[in-house]
């Protein structure tokens, strides 16, 4: 694949958005990227340590991201490899990762509240207070849409979780690039051996037991993402340690229905959590079902809890 190259002098860093052991993500201005815009805001990921193996991973990821193009996959514009650090250029997703977004629009939001611009519309756009059922369904449908695309390419994600999705203007949600969250959200991973970090709380029994990752294991993870959305970003099995969570999942215990989750949506989660991978509902069907629910939201009586 032809990875696009950007010149160093066309990138002007503004400030840091996030940091991990691999490097940092900055907000930047980029010149001469698109024909219709002289300069535009972008997010750049700068690789801190450039060992030979990190360089190889970088180029492999860049080639992959060049191929993956979809309205619900974060847009990748190219790389800058003049000297160091190595840089990847992405579209800027104004609200950052989906997990933080969910928490900042949930019941424990006050601490996390980040100044939202004045005069921004509510309605279809970014909500000011807590997310409604309609917002949650819209978010879920968009993640599902990105997953339908990845499945159509037989691409197995292996780490689908809200921390790996990004939120832009007007509640646009996209699946992010790969391998950043292992640093920022390290408590979501269980370290096995030296370097391997597994997102066990999002993994089905066959991935935990046999390290088997497939389109069907991604469907299981999507069910957990739905659960995250309807709990405003809670960690699955937050009350359990990693070893207890492994025990629970492999024994077939299910996450409970979140308080704000209609039974129609919980039924979708449960269809993702069939022990037998082939019994899980195909992501295409899940997407259609969610789309139908967005159009005709279930009547939900909060007081029934
Ligand atoms: C981006 C805006 N997928 C691309 N913080 C890297 C891809 C998931 C995560 C990152 C971003 C997290 C900025 C913890 C401090 C702030 O609290 C979370 C955070 C992620 C801040 N990243 C981005 N923000 N546009 C971003 N990342 C991209 C475009 N790729 C990534």
């Amino acid at each position: 694949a032809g990875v696009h190259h950007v010149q160093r002098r066309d990138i002007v860093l503004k400030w840091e958005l996030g940091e991990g052991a691999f490097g940092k993500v900055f907000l930047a201005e980029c010149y001469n990227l698109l024909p219709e815009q002289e300069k535009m805001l972008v997010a750049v990921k700068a690789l801190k340590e450039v060992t030979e193996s990190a360089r190889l991973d970088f180029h492999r990821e860049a080639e992959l991201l060049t191929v993956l193009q979809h309205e619900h996959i974060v847009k990748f514009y190219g790389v800058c490899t003049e000297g160091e650090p190595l840089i990847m250029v992405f579209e800027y997703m104004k609200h950052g990762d989906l997990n933080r977004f969910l928490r900042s629009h949930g019941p424990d939001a006050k601490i996390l509240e980040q100044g939202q611009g004045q005069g921004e519309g509510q309605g279809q756009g970014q909500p000011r207070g807590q997310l409604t059922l309609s917002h949650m369904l819209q978010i879920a449908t968009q993640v599902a849409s990105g997953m339908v695309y990845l499945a159509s390419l037989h691409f197995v994600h292996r780490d689908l979780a809200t921390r790996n999705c990004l939120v832009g203007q007007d509640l646009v949600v996209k699946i992010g690039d790969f391998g950043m969250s292992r640093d920022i959200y390290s408590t979501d991973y269980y370290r096995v051996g030296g370097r391997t970090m597994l997102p066990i709380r999002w993994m089905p029994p066959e991935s935990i037991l046999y390290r088997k990752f497939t389109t069907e294991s991604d469907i299981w993870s999507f069910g957990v993402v739905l659960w995250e959305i309807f709990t405003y970003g809670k960690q699955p099995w937050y009350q359990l340690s990693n070893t207890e969570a492994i025990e629970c999942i492999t024994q077939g215990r299910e996450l409970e229905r979140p308080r704000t989750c209609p039974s129609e949506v919980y039924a979708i989660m449960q269809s993702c959590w069939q022990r037998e991978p082939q019994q899980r509902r195909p992501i295409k069907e899940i997407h259609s079902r969610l789309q139908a629910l967005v159009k005709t939201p279930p009547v939900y009586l909060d007081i029934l809890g």
Side-chain angles (χ1 to χ4, degrees):
V3 177
H4 182 253
H5 282 255
V6 178
Q7 295 192 328
R8 180 81 51 177
R9 55 153 207 222
D10 282 338
I11 301 171
V12 180
L13 300 184
K14 288 173 75 83
W15 53 73
E16 196 184 308
L17 294 171
E19 176 169 17
F22 76 92
K24 292 177 173 177
V25 178
F26 295 92
L27 176 67
E29 286 176 331
C30 191
Y31 290 80
N32 309 312
L33 193 55
L34 298 178
E36 65 272 24
Q37 276 170 290
E38 188 207 357
K39 71 170 180 187
M40 59 190 280
L41 285 176
V42 294
V44 307
K45 201 164 105 170
L47 196 68
K48 200 184 275 170
E49 209 195 328
V50 200
T51 62
E52 201 45 45
S53 98
R55 192 179 283 276
L56 279 170
D57 285 348
F58 176 90
H59 287 288
R60 216 173 292 136
E61 189 181 335
E63 293 212 349
L64 175 64
L65 290 167
T66 302
V67 175
L68 301 180
Q69 300 216 35
H70 184 265
E71 56 186 326
H72 294 294
I73 305 286
V74 68
K75 201 174 285 160
F76 175 63
Y77 289 120
V79 298
C80 174
T81 54
E82 291 170 38
E84 289 181 11
L86 295 174
I87 285 174
M88 286 186 184
V89 183
F90 296 94
E91 72 178 302
Y92 171 53
M93 299 291 283
K94 173 176 176 182
H95 295 286
D97 73 272
L98 175 58
N99 188 265
R100 189 173 54 144
F101 182 82
L102 292 167
R103 289 174 185 267
S104 68
H105 292 86
D108 310 320
K110 279 169 203 75
I111 326 139
L112 288 142
E113 197 64 38
Q114 57 151 273
Q116 302 232 353
Q118 274 141 30
E120 276 178 318
Q122 282 197 21
Q124 295 285 83
Q126 42 281 98
R128 232 169 265 266
Q130 287 195 14
L131 295 173
T132 63
L133 171 60
S134 165
H135 292 126
M136 291 172 170
L137 289 169
Q138 285 177 52
I139 292 168
T141 306
Q142 296 179 72
V143 178
S145 169
M147 289 311 292
V148 169
Y149 171 74
L150 294 181
S152 77
L153 297 180
H154 307 289
F155 177 82
V156 180
H157 189 293
R158 291 168 168 253
D159 194 10
L160 182 64
T162 59
R163 63 180 173 276
N164 283 324
C165 299
L166 293 163
V167 185
Q169 186 118 29
D170 299 324
L171 206 68
V172 169
V173 178
K174 305 193 183 194
I175 296 171
D177 51 300
F178 312 98
M180 155 133 174
S181 312
R182 279 182 170 73
D183 308 309
I184 295 180
Y185 289 98
S186 58
T187 57
D188 286 345
Y189 296 88
Y190 182 54
R191 196 182 284 276
V192 288
R195 260 181 48 122
T196 314
M197 288 174 77
L198 295 174
I200 49 145
R201 293 163 196 269
W202 283 260
M203 284 160 57
E206 77 275 8
S207 304
I208 292 175
L209 295 170
Y210 317 116
R211 305 275 175 96
K212 203 168 177 315
F213 292 91
T214 58
T215 295
E216 288 73 37
S217 61
D218 278 350
I219 293 172
W220 178 292
S221 307
F222 180 78
V224 182
V225 165
L226 264 181
W227 187 90
E228 289 185 270
I229 294 170
F230 281 84
T231 57
Y232 299 97
K234 281 203 179 123
Q235 187 189 50
W237 306 111
Y238 57 87
Q239 68 279 35
L240 305 181
S241 69
N242 284 324
T243 48
E244 287 168 344
I246 287 175
E247 182 89 355
C248 236
I249 296 163
T250 54
Q251 282 180 358
R253 240 184 88 191
E254 268 180 12
L255 288 163
E256 280 171 22
R257 183 178 67 84
R259 251 178 29 80
T260 58
C261 179
S263 56
E264 289 90 337
V265 178
Y266 192 54
I268 301 176
M269 292 182 200
Q270 289 179 310
S271 75
C272 297
W273 300 331
Q274 297 295 312
R275 190 175 187 94
E276 183 58 50
Q278 294 308 319
Q279 297 289 308
R280 295 174 200 153
R281 199 162 173 192
I283 190 68
K284 230 176 141 162
E285 282 183 34
I286 292 170
H287 174 252
S288 308
R289 179 74 183 119
L290 284 167
Q291 225 169 15
L293 289 173
V294 167
K295 286 185 190 124
T296 320
V299 189
Y300 182 65
L301 300 173
D302 217 352
I303 47 169
L304 295 180

